[in-house]
Amino acid sequence: MPTANLTFILGGARSGKSAHAEQLATTHAAHTVTYIATARGTAGDHEFATRIAHHQTRRPTHWHLLEAPWDLAAAIVQADGHGHCILIDCLTLWLANFLCPFDEADAHGISKDSKDSEGGKHYATQLAALETALTSATGQIIVVSNEIGLGVVPLGSLTRQYVDELGRLNQRIATLSTRVTLMVAGVPLAVKTVAHA
C-alpha cells in the first residue's frame, strides 16, 4: 500500500538524483527539513570526503542533519512531524554499510557466506523497521537510491549479491511510494504517480 507522503528518486551515478531531491525539499522551506545521511566515516578516503563536502555545501544551512549509517528507522521517527520534510540520501550507502563492513568488528551486515547469519538477521530487522517508519510517518519523506542493475551481470559473488539486494530494496521502497522518479542526465522521469484518494 503506497504511503501518501513518500517520494522515491532513483538514478545512476551523477544522474542528478541528489540535486533533484534537494530541490524538492526546498519547496518545504517554510517547514522543518531534516537531511538524513547514511554514509559512514571517511577516514583515509579523501575522494569520498570531498563528495560529502560537496553535498554539505549545497544544502541550506538551516536544514537539520542526522547521521544514520545503520538505524535509519530511528532517525526517521526522531525527525518526523506534521509539516516536516525528511530527505534520506541514500539507500545505496545504507545497504553497503550492512553488506560491506569495514572489518569483522564492524559486522552489522549481511554475511558474505550466509544470509542466515547474525548480520543478515540484523539487516532484515532494520529493513522491517525502516518500512514501518516510512508507512507510519506523518511528514513528507524523500528517499534517494541508485539504480545499478541496468548493466551486465557483474563479476564477483559479493558484487552480484549487492546488486541483487539493492534491487530488492528499491522494489520494496517503490511499492510503498506514491511517487517514483527516475533521473536520467539530470532530467526527472515520472515512473509512478498514485493519485490521492
Side-chain angles (χ1 to χ4, degrees):
M1 175 66 103
T3 301
N5 293 320
L6 180 55
T7 299
F8 191 32
I9 300 173
L10 292 158
R14 292 292 178 262
S15 62
K17 58 191 180 297
S18 293
H20 181 66
E22 291 162 11
Q23 183 180 24
L24 290 179
T26 59
T27 64
H28 295 266
H31 305 289
T32 300
V33 177
T34 300
Y35 184 100
I36 300 180
T38 62
R40 289 182 292 187
T42 59
D45 191 337
H46 301 296
E47 187 273 338
F48 192 56
T50 300
R51 286 172 178 258
I52 290 176
H54 176 70
H55 279 254
Q56 291 170 337
T57 58
R58 204 170 56 192
R59 295 195 301 263
T61 56
H62 64 275
W63 285 10
H64 299 283
L65 171 67
L66 289 176
E67 296 183 357
W70 290 286
D71 197 349
L72 188 50
I76 292 170
V77 171
Q78 179 182 339
D80 186 39
H82 289 286
H84 289 208
C85 178
I86 299 171
L87 196 170
I88 300 167
D89 199 354
C90 63
L91 292 185
T92 318
L93 293 175
W94 182 70
L95 176 63
N97 294 340
F98 291 98
L99 188 59
C100 307
F102 285 144
D103 53 47
E104 292 305 315
D106 190 30
H108 290 268
I110 302 168
S111 169
K112 298 173 187 176
D113 302 318
S114 171
K115 291 183 184 178
D116 294 328
S117 69
E118 287 304 311
K121 291 175 184 176
H122 183 72
Y123 169 68
T125 300
Q126 288 294 332
L127 176 55
L130 171 61
E131 290 178 316
T132 298
L134 291 174
T135 57
S136 303
T138 59
Q140 169 72 31
I141 300 184
I142 303 166
V143 179
V144 177
S145 187
N146 281 62
E147 175 52 72
I148 63 172
L150 299 177
V152 299
V153 176
L155 297 174
S157 60
L158 180 58
T159 306
R160 287 193 297 273
Q161 183 185 7
Y162 181 79
V163 171
D164 289 349
E165 291 293 342
L166 184 60
R168 293 185 188 105
L169 174 58
N170 286 345
Q171 288 184 51
R172 292 175 74 157
I173 302 305
T175 298
L176 300 177
S177 302
T178 302
R179 293 165 297 278
V180 178
T181 300
L182 178 66
M183 297 299 299
V184 179
V187 179
L189 303 175
V191 175
K192 174 185 176 183
T193 302
V194 177
H196 294 281

